[in-house]
mmCIF file with all atom_site columns, all heavy atoms in Angstrom:
data_model
loop_
_atom_site.group_PDB
_atom_site.id
_atom_site.type_symbol
_atom_site.label_atom_id
_atom_site.label_alt_id
_atom_site.label_comp_id
_atom_site.label_asym_id
_atom_site.label_entity_id
_atom_site.label_seq_id
_atom_site.pdbx_PDB_ins_code
_atom_site.Cartn_x
_atom_site.Cartn_y
_atom_site.Cartn_z
_atom_site.occupancy
_atom_site.B_iso_or_equiv
_atom_site.pdbx_formal_charge
_atom_site.auth_seq_id
_atom_site.auth_comp_id
_atom_site.auth_asym_id
_atom_site.auth_atom_id
_atom_site.pdbx_PDB_model_num
ATOM   1  N  N   . CYS A 1 24 ? 85.472 84.945 5.425  1.00 93.00 ? 24 CYS A N   1
ATOM   2  C  CA  . CYS A 1 24 ? 84.452 85.947 5.575  1.00 93.00 ? 24 CYS A CA  1
ATOM   3  C  C   . CYS A 1 24 ? 84.775 86.895 6.723  1.00 93.00 ? 24 CYS A C   1
ATOM   4  O  O   . CYS A 1 24 ? 85.639 86.544 7.577  1.00 93.00 ? 24 CYS A O   1
ATOM   5  C  CB  . CYS A 1 24 ? 83.065 85.248 5.821  1.00 93.00 ? 24 CYS A CB  1
ATOM   6  S  SG  . CYS A 1 24 ? 81.699 86.391 6.092  1.00 93.00 ? 24 CYS A SG  1
ATOM   7  N  N   . TRP A 1 25 ? 84.075 88.013 6.845  1.00 90.00 ? 25 TRP A N   1
ATOM   8  C  CA  . TRP A 1 25 ? 84.303 88.859 7.979  1.00 90.00 ? 25 TRP A CA  1
ATOM   9  C  C   . TRP A 1 25 ? 83.996 88.170 9.319  1.00 90.00 ? 25 TRP A C   1
ATOM   10 O  O   . TRP A 1 25 ? 84.559 88.507 10.362 1.00 90.00 ? 25 TRP A O   1
ATOM   11 C  CB  . TRP A 1 25 ? 83.420 90.144 7.895  1.00 90.00 ? 25 TRP A CB  1
ATOM   12 C  CG  . TRP A 1 25 ? 81.934 89.873 7.792  1.00 90.00 ? 25 TRP A CG  1
ATOM   13 C  CD1 . TRP A 1 25 ? 81.170 89.735 6.681  1.00 90.00 ? 25 TRP A CD1 1
ATOM   14 C  CD2 . TRP A 1 25 ? 81.064 89.593 8.880  1.00 90.00 ? 25 TRP A CD2 1
ATOM   15 N  NE1 . TRP A 1 25 ? 79.883 89.461 7.026  1.00 90.00 ? 25 TRP A NE1 1
ATOM   16 C  CE2 . TRP A 1 25 ? 79.798 89.373 8.382  1.00 90.00 ? 25 TRP A CE2 1
ATOM   17 C  CE3 . TRP A 1 25 ? 81.210 89.598 10.283 1.00 90.00 ? 25 TRP A CE3 1
ATOM   18 C  CZ2 . TRP A 1 25 ? 78.659 89.124 9.170  1.00 90.00 ? 25 TRP A CZ2 1
ATOM   19 C  CZ3 . TRP A 1 25 ? 80.133 89.326 11.098 1.00 90.00 ? 25 TRP A CZ3 1
ATOM   20 C  CH2 . TRP A 1 25 ? 78.859 89.088 10.513 1.00 90.00 ? 25 TRP A CH2 1
ATOM   21 N  N   . CYS A 1 26 ? 83.116 87.123 9.262  1.00 91.00 ? 26 CYS A N   1
ATOM   22 C  CA  . CYS A 1 26 ? 82.727 86.405 10.489 1.00 91.00 ? 26 CYS A CA  1
ATOM   23 C  C   . CYS A 1 26 ? 83.817 85.421 10.970 1.00 91.00 ? 26 CYS A C   1
ATOM   24 O  O   . CYS A 1 26 ? 83.726 84.819 12.006 1.00 91.00 ? 26 CYS A O   1
ATOM   25 C  CB  . CYS A 1 26 ? 81.433 85.662 10.280 1.00 91.00 ? 26 CYS A CB  1
ATOM   26 S  SG  . CYS A 1 26 ? 81.520 84.334 9.154  1.00 91.00 ? 26 CYS A SG  1
ATOM   27 N  N   . CYS A 1 48 ? 80.525 82.481 2.021  1.00 94.00 ? 48 CYS A N   1
ATOM   28 C  CA  . CYS A 1 48 ? 80.865 82.160 3.372  1.00 94.00 ? 48 CYS A CA  1
ATOM   29 C  C   . CYS A 1 48 ? 80.130 80.848 3.744  1.00 94.00 ? 48 CYS A C   1
ATOM   30 O  O   . CYS A 1 48 ? 78.963 80.635 3.426  1.00 94.00 ? 48 CYS A O   1
ATOM   31 C  CB  . CYS A 1 48 ? 80.428 83.281 4.319  1.00 94.00 ? 48 CYS A CB  1
ATOM   32 S  SG  . CYS A 1 48 ? 80.614 82.885 6.056  1.00 94.00 ? 48 CYS A SG  1
ATOM   33 N  N   . HIS A 1 59 ? 76.750 87.764 4.841  1.00 91.00 ? 59 HIS A N   1
ATOM   34 C  CA  . HIS A 1 59 ? 78.059 87.112 4.819  1.00 91.00 ? 59 HIS A CA  1
ATOM   35 C  C   . HIS A 1 59 ? 78.696 87.278 3.401  1.00 91.00 ? 59 HIS A C   1
ATOM   36 O  O   . HIS A 1 59 ? 77.960 87.646 2.479  1.00 91.00 ? 59 HIS A O   1
ATOM   37 C  CB  . HIS A 1 59 ? 77.982 85.650 5.216  1.00 91.00 ? 59 HIS A CB  1
ATOM   38 C  CG  . HIS A 1 59 ? 77.652 85.505 6.675  1.00 91.00 ? 59 HIS A CG  1
ATOM   39 N  ND1 . HIS A 1 59 ? 78.638 85.282 7.616  1.00 91.00 ? 59 HIS A ND1 1
ATOM   40 C  CD2 . HIS A 1 59 ? 76.459 85.628 7.340  1.00 91.00 ? 59 HIS A CD2 1
ATOM   41 C  CE1 . HIS A 1 59 ? 78.091 85.246 8.808  1.00 91.00 ? 59 HIS A CE1 1
ATOM   42 N  NE2 . HIS A 1 59 ? 76.747 85.416 8.713  1.00 91.00 ? 59 HIS A NE2 1
ATOM   43 N  N   . LEU A 1 60 ? 79.893 86.867 3.306  1.00 92.00 ? 60 LEU A N   1
ATOM   44 C  CA  . LEU A 1 60 ? 80.610 87.099 2.046  1.00 92.00 ? 60 LEU A CA  1
ATOM   45 C  C   . LEU A 1 60 ? 80.020 86.324 0.854  1.00 92.00 ? 60 LEU A C   1
ATOM   46 O  O   . LEU A 1 60 ? 79.730 85.172 0.955  1.00 92.00 ? 60 LEU A O   1
ATOM   47 C  CB  . LEU A 1 60 ? 82.085 86.693 2.206  1.00 92.00 ? 60 LEU A CB  1
ATOM   48 C  CG  . LEU A 1 60 ? 83.011 87.047 1.041  1.00 92.00 ? 60 LEU A CG  1
ATOM   49 C  CD1 . LEU A 1 60 ? 84.311 87.537 1.567  1.00 92.00 ? 60 LEU A CD1 1
ATOM   50 C  CD2 . LEU A 1 60 ? 83.183 85.857 0.101  1.00 92.00 ? 60 LEU A CD2 1
HETATM 51 ZN ZN1 . ZN  B 2 .  ? 80.478 84.842 7.203  1.00 62.24 ? 1  ZN  B ZN1 1
#
Side-chain angles (χ1 to χ4, degrees):
C24 177
W25 60 264
C26 68
C48 173
H59 290 264
L60 188 139

